[in-house]
């Protein structure tokens, strides 16, 4: 059985004091859940949230450098993230791919480095609207998965979470239908089974992301291939995010 994982990507939102307030409320609201709960605040809030010593809510970063340390102005390293209690790091979010020109190769380098240090990557893949309309969804996603997992050994791959996020559904209010999301995630799992084997692929967790809300999470989580969600907008308040975490009540 794969343990469901619901992660919040706060993007460039929340000051330190706002982040503390949200996490205190969230920790109270989800402490009894069986779901693994992760929040990915901006870098600036991580140290203060680490000091809260939360028991239920885990911390993740939204990005990290592909370099271990050194003269890379403005970058944040994997060791720095571990130092502020991060267990997870989002890698290759579509905003990083599209706005900051992150390539498949860079994403693969970051995944290798995170895993080397025991940080669990949440690797994002997904097609644009143009690619979807051209019926290229499967091809795009398969290629992104193959590139992201290039030379990642099997014993480390099981620590990776994949987030399937159709780009046209992120922040737009549009969601892929639960069946569509399930089908693409099934393709991702088949691809992972080809790279590794089906036992490994069946252990790996694959989330859906793209306008997930309290109203649609139940249907998404009812799909056999969907193991959780990566949530943007609806993770910015404790009420909505905890309602998503409590999807099965
Ligand atoms: C995201 O940023 O990963 C995301 C899915 O955003 P939203 O839930 O706002 O669509």
């Amino acid at each position: 059985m794969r343990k469901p994982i619901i992660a919040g990507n706060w993007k460039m939102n929340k000051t330190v004091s706002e982040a503390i307030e949200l996490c205190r409320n969230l920790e109270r609201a989800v402490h009894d859940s069986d779901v693994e709960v992760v929040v990915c605040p901006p870098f600036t809030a991580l140290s203060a949230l680490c000091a809260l010593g939360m028991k239920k809510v885990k911390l993740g970063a939204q990005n990290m450098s592909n370099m271990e340390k050194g003269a890379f102005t403005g970058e944040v390293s994997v060791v720095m993230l571990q130092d502020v209690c991060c267990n997870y790091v989002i890698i290759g979010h579509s905003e990083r791919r599209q706005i900051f020109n992150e390539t498949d190769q860079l994403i693969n380098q970051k995944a290798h480095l995170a895993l080397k240090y025991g940080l669990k990557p949440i690797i994002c893949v997904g097609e644009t609207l143009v690619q979807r309309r051209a019926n290229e969804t499967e091809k795009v996603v398969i290629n992104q998965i193959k590139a992201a997992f290039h030379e990642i050994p099997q014993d480390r791959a099981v620590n990776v979470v994949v987030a399937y996020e159709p780009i046209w559904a992120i922040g737009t209010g549009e969601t892929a239908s639960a069946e569509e999301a399930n089908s693409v995630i099934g393709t991702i799992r088949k691809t992972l089974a080809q790279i590794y084997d089906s036992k490994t692929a069946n252990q790996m967790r694959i989330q859906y992301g793209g306008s997930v809300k309290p109203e649609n999470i139940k249907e998404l989580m009812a799909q056999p291939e969907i193991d959780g969600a990566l949530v943007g907008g609806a993770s910015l308040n404790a009420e909505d995010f905890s309602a998503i975490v409590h999807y099965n009540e």
Side-chain angles (χ1 to χ4, degrees):
M1 267 297 271
R2 299 183 293 263
K3 184 175 174 131
I5 175 167
I6 295 190
N9 173 16
W10 295 2
K11 310 193 186 189
M12 199 167 71
N13 294 291
K14 305 288 179 194
T15 61
V16 174
S17 56
E18 289 167 344
I20 290 173
E21 193 192 347
L22 175 47
C23 275
R24 282 204 175 121
N25 290 334
L26 201 57
E27 175 81 355
R28 255 194 308 274
V30 301
H31 73 278
D32 55 348
S33 166
D34 294 334
V35 170
E36 190 170 356
V37 182
V38 182
V39 294
C40 303
F43 292 131
T44 47
L46 284 169
S47 178
L49 297 179
C50 176
L52 290 181
M54 292 184 291
K55 294 201 166 55
K56 176 65 188 171
V57 177
K58 293 183 180 162
L59 290 177
Q62 297 174 21
N63 185 27
M64 59 170 254
S65 175
N66 63 322
M67 309 303 272
E68 295 208 32
K69 64 193 258 191
F72 302 103
T73 303
E75 291 290 281
V76 173
S77 79
V78 59
V79 172
M80 292 171 190
L81 296 182
Q82 286 183 310
D83 191 38
V84 288
C85 307
C86 283
N87 294 116
Y88 286 91
V89 58
I90 299 173
I91 291 179
H93 189 278
S94 62
E95 286 151 18
R96 304 269 350 145
R97 290 179 189 260
Q98 292 201 308
I99 305 169
F100 301 101
N101 299 319
E102 291 202 2
T103 62
D104 282 333
Q105 192 196 9
L106 185 78
I107 288 156
N108 175 246
Q109 286 169 1
K110 291 183 182 191
H112 274 279
L113 194 54
L115 290 164
K116 177 176 166 188
Y117 282 88
L119 204 61
K120 295 178 180 161
I122 299 175
I123 298 180
C124 302
V125 298
E127 80 286 3
T128 64
L129 190 56
V130 172
Q131 289 164 335
R132 172 180 157 87
R133 288 190 175 142
N135 286 323
E136 289 174 357
T137 299
E138 304 234 322
K139 185 180 90 184
V140 168
V141 165
I142 290 169
N143 287 341
Q144 287 173 332
I145 290 290
K146 285 183 177 164
F149 282 87
H150 181 65
E151 293 191 349
I152 289 184
Q154 181 167 347
D155 60 335
R156 291 190 175 173
V158 287
N159 292 319
V160 177
V161 175
V162 174
Y164 167 56
E165 300 206 304
I167 295 171
W168 49 270
I170 296 179
T172 59
E174 285 200 46
T175 334
S177 75
E179 292 76 20
E180 259 180 305
N182 188 64
S183 159
V184 180
I185 290 176
T187 300
I188 291 172
R189 203 177 301 285
K190 272 192 211 119
T191 309
L192 291 168
Q194 279 161 13
I195 299 171
Y196 301 105
D197 54 40
S198 36
K199 184 167 174 248
T200 307
N202 285 332
Q203 278 175 269
M204 293 175 67
R205 294 178 296 177
I206 311 179
Q207 300 171 310
Y208 168 77
S211 298
V212 172
K213 308 182 261 288
E215 298 77 42
N216 57 24
I217 185 68
K218 197 170 180 145
E219 195 189 357
L220 288 161
M221 292 303 289
Q223 299 293 321
E225 297 287 359
I226 301 182
D227 304 317
L230 182 56
V231 185
S235 70
L236 292 174
N237 72 79
E239 205 181 324
D240 281 348
F241 194 58
S242 60
I244 291 171
V245 168
H246 288 292
Y247 66 89
N248 55 359
E249 288 166 17

